[in-house]
Amino acid sequence: MTTFPAEPIHRHAQAWPRRGRAALALAALLLALTGDRMTGSRAAVRVDLPALMLWAWDRDDDLRFVDARTTGVAYLAATLTLRGEGVALTPRRNPLALPEGVSRVAVAHVETDRAEPPVLNAEQLRRFVETLAAVSDEVPHRVLQVDYEAVASQRDFFIDAVAALRRRLPGAAISVTALASWCFNESWTDRLEADEVVPMLFRMGYDGRRVRARFENGGDFRGTECRSSLGIATDELPAVLPPGRRVYVFSPRRWTPESYDIVRTRINRWSHDQLPD
């Protein structure tokens, strides 16, 4: 059993210690699994993850019951807040118990300060990318996932940041989450230089009924970049999903063996790459 500690990283990226990074990188390598056949549709780097991924947000979760052969964990590693000209970093606060050998995605959640909106200039972009790279350096993971609900005025900044992160981490697998509306109504996500785009099919508001109806009628998202993975929630499990996708699942409550089994049962109905019993 591996326990992921609370606050594994320093609060200020500029001051993060270098000692131990090589050991963490080696540990991540030793814990890596072969993974399944699924890859990102536009990947320059292979997204080598199981077909089922559980999102583990910042709470004291025990996921030792997870079957590491078929299921990985995408855990919140840090929250980055864009504020004024700066980037504030808040590391994970709560411990997370995981089974040995589980495939991990380190999630960097991005927020913007409404009281002091970000300037989104070149210097802030540089700081943002360096902070994301520092998260990647400090915590064990196979894929780095950026969770940023960028509004229209922030899209170019987000696109430029992902491109700069790709240059900063040329060998790293990069995933980004996306609002379903970005993949359903818009076309700018094809400019994101990510290896995986994960449209989130929950808390969709007005677009929810239209997206569900499209899937029920055999339809799909507009862009191919949005067709390798998707995200759902345990309290909004859809009736129909396109088969053959990697599925990330969010739970608003602590994960339990029972909620995990419900998700696995439903996944088997959706996917032609069924999970073994």
Side-chain angles (χ1 to χ4, degrees):
M1 184 270 289
T2 299
T3 299
F4 189 83
E7 300 204 7
I9 51 182
H10 197 278
R11 290 182 180 275
H12 302 285
Q14 295 87 345
W16 285 9
R18 296 287 178 180
R19 184 175 59 187
R21 287 185 179 175
L24 282 175
L26 177 60
L29 177 63
L30 293 175
L31 288 174
L33 299 176
T34 302
D36 68 0
R37 301 180 303 280
M38 301 182 71
T39 62
S41 60
R42 53 183 289 129
V45 178
R46 177 180 169 84
V47 178
D48 188 16
L49 294 169
L52 175 60
M53 299 293 298
L54 305 185
W55 270 313
W57 226 235
D58 196 0
R59 61 190 172 209
D60 186 357
D61 257 335
D62 186 343
L63 294 173
R64 287 174 291 180
F65 53 80
V66 164
D67 182 354
R69 299 171 303 165
T70 64
T71 308
V73 176
Y75 65 93
L76 180 69
T79 298
L80 283 63
T81 303
L82 299 173
R83 176 182 300 124
E85 298 182 351
V87 180
L89 173 71
T90 304
R92 182 183 183 89
R93 294 188 175 94
N94 291 292
L96 176 64
L98 299 175
E100 295 290 347
V102 71
S103 297
R104 308 182 193 198
V105 171
V107 181
H109 175 64
V110 183
E111 297 181 347
T112 57
D113 192 318
R114 295 185 178 182
E116 189 178 353
V119 296
L120 304 180
N121 60 14
E123 176 59 22
Q124 187 168 46
L125 188 145
R126 185 193 66 79
R127 293 177 181 176
F128 180 50
V129 170
E130 285 303 312
T131 306
L132 288 171
V135 173
S136 181
D137 283 349
E138 287 292 335
V139 297
H141 66 286
R142 180 175 293 181
V143 176
L144 176 66
Q145 185 173 89
V146 183
D147 176 45
Y148 183 11
E149 295 186 13
V151 299
S153 61
Q154 300 165 353
R155 303 277 168 79
D156 287 342
F157 178 86
F158 188 23
I159 291 166
D160 290 344
V162 175
L165 184 64
R166 163 65 67 224
R167 295 190 294 272
R168 178 66 173 77
L169 303 172
I174 299 172
S175 171
V176 298
T177 61
L179 298 181
S181 60
W182 298 354
C183 296
F184 186 66
N185 300 321
E186 304 174 35
S187 58
W188 66 274
T189 51
D190 66 353
R191 298 166 57 198
L192 289 165
E193 294 187 30
D195 304 303
E196 176 185 62
V197 177
V198 186
M200 297 178 290
L201 307 184
F202 57 98
R203 316 297 191 263
M204 290 185 288
Y206 173 76
D207 284 321
R209 183 177 299 176
R210 297 171 62 200
V211 171
R212 286 189 290 269
R214 173 171 289 190
F215 286 146
E216 289 170 3
N217 293 323
D220 211 330
F221 289 117
R222 174 184 298 180
T224 57
E225 71 279 358
C226 295
R227 296 181 184 177
S228 66
S229 303
L230 45 79
I232 60 175
T234 57
D235 57 344
E236 294 184 38
L237 291 175
V240 178
L241 283 181
R245 308 289 166 95
R246 178 176 298 110
V247 180
Y248 288 80
V249 188
F250 172 78
S251 175
R253 300 179 179 85
R254 291 190 66 184
W255 281 104
T256 65
E258 292 74 23
S259 59
Y260 175 52
D261 286 342
I262 290 172
V263 167
R264 282 169 54 88
T265 299
R266 188 64 65 89
I267 291 289
N268 276 329
R269 298 176 189 172
W270 290 325
S271 178
H272 57 65
D273 293 324
Q274 293 194 345
L275 304 175
D277 294 330

